[in-house]
Amino acid sequence: MRVALFLTCVNDTLYPDTGRAVVKLLTRLGVDVDFPMAQTCCGQAHYNTGYRHEAEPLARHFSDVFGEYDAIVTPSGSCGAMVRELYPRMGERARAEGRGDSLAATLAPVVPRTYELTEFLVDVLEVTDVGAYYPHRVTYHPTCHGLRSLGLGERPLRLLRAVEGLELAELPGAEECCGFGGTFALKNPDVSAAMGADKVRNAASTGAEVLCAADNSCLMHIGGTMARLRTGMRPVHIAEILASTKEDPAV
Amino acid sequence: MSGTFVGMPAFPEAAREAVHDATLRGNLRHATHTIRAKRAKAVAEVSDWATLREAGKRIKDHTLRRLDRYLEQLEESVTAAGGTVHWAADADEANRIVADLVKATGESEVVKVKSMATQEIGLNEALEAEGIRAYETDLAELIVQLGRDRPSHILVPAIHRNRGEIRDIFRREMGEWGRPAPDRLTDTPAELTEAARLHLREKFLRAKVGISGANFMVAETGTLVVVESEGNGRMCLTLPETLISVVGIEKIVPTWRDLEVFLQTLPRSSTAERMNPYTSMWTGTTDGDGPRAFHLVLLDNGRTDTLADEVGRQALRCIRCSACLNVCPVYERAGGHAYGSVYPGPIGAILSPQLRGTGSEIDASLPYASSLCGACYEVCPVAIDIPEVLVHLRERVVEGGQVTSRGDKVVLKPAKGHAAERAAMRAARWAFSRPAALRTGQRLASRTRRLHPRTLPGPGRAWSGTRDLPQVPAEPFRDWWLRTNGGKDGAK
Ligand code: SF4
């Protein structure tokens, strides 16, 4: 099986540790993972802000880069949802606008082959115990696109529960949005900040040291709020927890 | 739509005040979380909820596709049952029709059943201009009216008020409108309700004209349906001599049988009840029972134009249950007033800019009043994909495009104020289409990382005002991958 890592532009630029963790984790599980250097961005920020026509070339580029692989794994529920849920919609819209089937046909191959990391682990590799060790109290925030668009369900929790040493604390109001929402955080700063602060307060009430999620952009917003509110908690991507072992622990 | 909201500031500014009003946020949080939990329980009781939801969606879609045919059928059946049908293209026309009908009765006051459609057209204000006083009889609407306030929720228009505030309003205002509030009125729900009951009873018994909306209209029989909790609507529907119902054309269902779906999904989604306490149905006029004259005013007011839009038309499936408001994290913080419309929350954010167009500042900002978390879509009993429509309308705001306005196809220009954003999006697309350019940018950011400010100028200030910025790492992932051959060369 040819497996490609789609790291997403945000992770690549700002959170390379997440990428390294995914590589380490998948390698440990016997997957030979490739990182196609031509990859850039799935186009989600463009699409969701209303620039669908600017997102189309990025989606085509994505298909060109990843079309050859059997599986495309991404440590981002939100970018995963962009490919799986919104690429088909972009194809349909182009067709409805009388521009033919070309976009839909170009995007079709990558849609079913794109997996969010925890989905890939549980559904494709069929593992829940990935042999991780992480001796910390952790609370898990299911990010909206992972939760509702991709329907990740219990998968991340099953993976976390199998981690040795990890103590899982239930997050009150877990399914409520953290208030990031891409450009929403900039366009509606007051509401976004209020949502973030509530999320952080809920997380702090669990007594966990770490808030974990499967999306670095949400973690950027939550983590930035945590630092400002001085909770002493840390945001950590789930990949980094799953990659952590006794021999090579994540800090 | 109602003139009351013209000139509202854009959503972010309107929301700011609410976000920082601790009482308001407390009221909203308490109310929405309570009803949210109850709704989830009421829905979980039904084993075939998903099927009901799908059925509701299909019935509405089917009807909307053949709306012209069903409207004609409705007109025929209402007329055959002794009613009179009037067609109103917009708010002004509807208001004129209603005012003329009231004047023809010689009356100068009317009692009203809670209705979104009459609020949408600003009927009370229009009637007042004609010297006709309209009394709201729904408890929450009464609170809003007495408080000279605006509704802030579809189902609970006074959701933003707590008991203490309501008692103060009753004490201060009831006497101005009719029977005053009892002396020493406290803020217990029982006393407040009793005060409202006595105040309203006087109105019910006196009024000769009633005005209502409807939750549903059945095409085959010409029957209108109002679903309510308090029974005040039923008083208005049965006691007056003349009944005038103003209803949006999308409220139609083809057959009596179709109601079976919505009478299950609506109460559970809205008040979290298995069945609402009062369901009133009326068909034309009947000798010796109920109103002698019945007028149905069918309201378009942007609905046909909305129907012409392939993506946006699903908003017309809405049965106004308000479930989407109660789960929306943005509504919970911003409150209903910030939406600048009688339709607040997620549904308001997609309905108002379609019914009114995206021309005003508030309407152009509404499609952005969402983090696209999808909670609204998940709870909607007719499966309106609100996030999809939001993004579609964002596109209309930033790129313009073809829309139908008053039946004509027109090409919209992009809204003002998005030039910088558009340029940034284009630049980002340019860079993202060229991996080499992306890499150069990343390297530049890494090399200058010590120079990056902790606070940002321009639109970024909003970010760094409440959140710390992430630090740019020393090396982007792709450079690490190249340097270490994907970690195979041993380096970390
Ligand atoms: S959009 Fe759906 S959830 Fe919201 S009020 Fe309408 S029917 Fe209810």
Side-chain angles (χ1 to χ4, degrees), chain B residues 202-355:
Chain B
E202 181 199 337
K203 304 269 181 301
F204 291 136
L205 295 174
R206 200 171 65 204
K208 299 274 188 293
V209 182
I211 295 182
S212 84
N215 293 91
F216 305 100
M217 305 187 284
V218 183
E220 65 173 355
T221 53
T223 304
L224 274 67
V225 184
V226 158
V227 172
E228 54 165 344
S229 299
E230 297 167 5
N232 292 339
R234 177 168 292 179
M235 303 283 270
C236 303
L237 295 169
T238 42
L239 290 172
E241 287 164 9
T242 303
L243 175 61
I244 305 167
S245 301
V246 183
V247 190
I249 52 174
E250 83 284 15
K251 296 268 139 161
I252 217 163
V253 295
T255 69
W256 188 263
R257 185 78 201 257
D258 297 320
L259 290 174
E260 120 187 27
V261 173
F262 301 109
L263 292 182
Q264 293 180 75
T265 52
L266 179 55
R268 284 182 198 263
S269 304
S270 58
T271 46
E273 290 165 309
R274 292 175 177 148
M275 181 81 223
N276 48 287
Y278 296 88
T279 303
S280 304
M281 304 184 169
W282 65 105
T283 312
T285 55
T286 314
D287 279 340
D289 184 19
R292 278 341 85 70
F294 171 62
H295 296 275
L296 171 60
V297 182
L298 289 169
L299 179 70
D300 187 321
N301 208 29
R303 285 161 174 76
T304 322
D305 292 342
T306 304
L307 195 56
D309 188 282
E310 250 174 76
V311 179
R313 67 169 63 129
Q314 54 185 308
L316 296 177
R317 292 205 292 258
C318 177
I319 55 173
R320 312 275 189 261
C321 70
S322 74
C324 58
L325 278 64
N326 298 329
V327 295
C328 178
V330 176
Y331 175 87
E332 181 189 325
R333 273 95 187 170
H337 291 156
Y339 293 81
S341 149
V342 297
Y343 303 110
I347 182 62
I350 61 168
L351 197 58
S352 306
Q354 293 200 85
L355 295 181

Side-chain angles (χ1 to χ4, degrees), chain B residues 175-197:
Chain B
E176 296 273 310
W177 291 76
R179 184 177 172 131
D183 294 338
R184 289 187 297 281
L185 175 68
T186 73
D187 68 354
T188 60
E191 278 196 36
L192 293 174
T193 320
E194 183 62 13
R197 209 173 69 86

Side-chain angles (χ1 to χ4, degrees), chain A residues 5 7 9 11-21 23-24 27 32-41 45-55 57-58 61 65 85 89 92-93 96-97 144-145 147-149 175-196 198-199 201-202 217 220-225 227-229 248-249, chain B residues 11-13 15-16 19-20 25 29 33 36 310-311 327 329-334 365 368-375 377-378 385 387-388 391-392 394-396 398-399 418 421-426 428-435 438-439 442 445-446 454-455 459-473 475-483 486-488 492:
Chain A
L5 168 62
L7 193 55
C9 52
N11 291 335
D12 180 6
T13 310
L14 293 173
Y15 298 97
D17 287 349
T18 301
R20 288 199 278 269
V23 174
K24 181 175 149 187
T27 308
D32 188 11
V33 50
D34 191 14
F35 179 82
M37 287 297 287
Q39 66 176 279
T40 56
C41 167
H46 291 81
Y47 183 90
N48 280 348
T49 315
Y51 298 89
R52 177 167 53 97
H53 293 106
E54 299 285 343
L58 298 179
H61 181 74
V65 173
E85 194 185 24
R89 198 169 287 170
E92 273 166 41
R93 291 290 297 146
E97 285 165 352
C144 298
H145 291 161
L147 179 73
R148 301 198 181 87
S149 307
E175 300 196 349
E176 282 169 40
C177 176
C178 70
F180 173 59
T183 42
F184 173 75
L186 294 175
K187 286 184 185 277
N188 281 287
D190 297 87
V191 178
S192 166
M195 289 162 70
D198 287 347
K199 178 60 72 182
R201 273 182 221 119
N202 280 338
S217 29
M220 171 172 72
H221 164 77
I222 297 172
T225 309
R228 199 57 68 90
L229 296 178
D248 186 8
Chain B
F11 182 83
E13 285 99 83
R16 184 168 305 131
V19 170
H20 299 292
R25 261 186 80 183
R29 189 183 159 76
H33 281 250
R36 194 185 293 184
E310 250 174 76
V311 179
V327 295
V330 176
Y331 175 87
E332 181 189 325
R333 273 95 187 170
S365 72
Y368 298 95
S370 166
S371 63
L372 303 181
C373 79
Y377 177 32
E378 193 176 56
D385 191 340
E388 180 186 21
V391 169
H392 176 68
R394 289 177 184 187
E395 187 179 323
R396 180 172 301 171
V398 298
E399 294 193 337
H418 290 269
E421 178 187 278
R422 193 174 312 116
M425 286 292 175
R426 286 215 183 115
R429 195 261 294 137
W430 187 90
F432 285 142
S433 307
R434 290 162 185 78
L438 173 63
R439 215 171 135 206
Q442 284 176 334
S446 291
R454 303 298 292 164
T455 52
R461 193 180 312 134
W463 179 277
S464 53
T466 51
R467 286 151 285 203
D468 280 1
L469 288 166
Q471 229 169 12
V472 175
E475 183 184 46
F477 177 84
R478 64 183 61 215
D479 285 0
W480 171 83
W481 179 271
L482 277 181
R483 186 165 61 77
K488 290 192 189 77
K492 267 181 116 187

